[in-house]
Amino acid sequence: MLKLAGARLLTEREGLAVRSALVADPVVSCMVAARVESVGLDPWRLGGELWGVGSRLGGLCFSGVNLIPLRGGRAASRAFAERALSQPRHCSSLVGPADQVLEMWQQLEPGWGPARDVRPNQPLLAMSAPPSVAPDPLVRQVRLDDLERYLPAAV
């Protein structure tokens, strides 16, 4: 059995591996992947840190305004929680796949205190085919000039 070392800060040296890991699950990683694509892995520009576990990035987590486990099992979740507990808290929420988030939260709650809200069933939806119904003609895609009004409502 492979023993995982603690979570480590990832740098541009591991950029190719990070990008490959993000592409492996584009729906779950879309928020982080978009930032990495536009600014790279530098924490200051990224708005947070990317942490990795394992030599082949079996575990990947973003730590910024949100703590987002992107891949990894129980051992990776524990390693990420240990790293988060070892420094001042920066995030307001944990988001991502429920199994990883809930595993991390079990480790974090004793140090961070009780959650304001736990949503164990909040699916992330994506379409893989055209819609089966006609779109509402009064609904349109968001444009860049809509973002200032749209973003607060979406968050």
Side-chain angles (χ1 to χ4, degrees), residues 76-93:
S77 293
R78 287 185 178 152
F80 297 138
E82 286 173 13
R83 184 169 178 106
L85 288 167
S86 73
Q87 55 193 24
R89 183 174 176 178
H90 300 288
C91 71
S92 62
S93 300

Side-chain angles (χ1 to χ4, degrees), residues 130-146:
S132 59
V133 296
D136 184 326
L138 299 177
V139 176
R140 62 171 173 74
Q141 288 188 338
V142 173
R143 297 183 307 246
L144 283 177
D145 60 323
D146 295 324

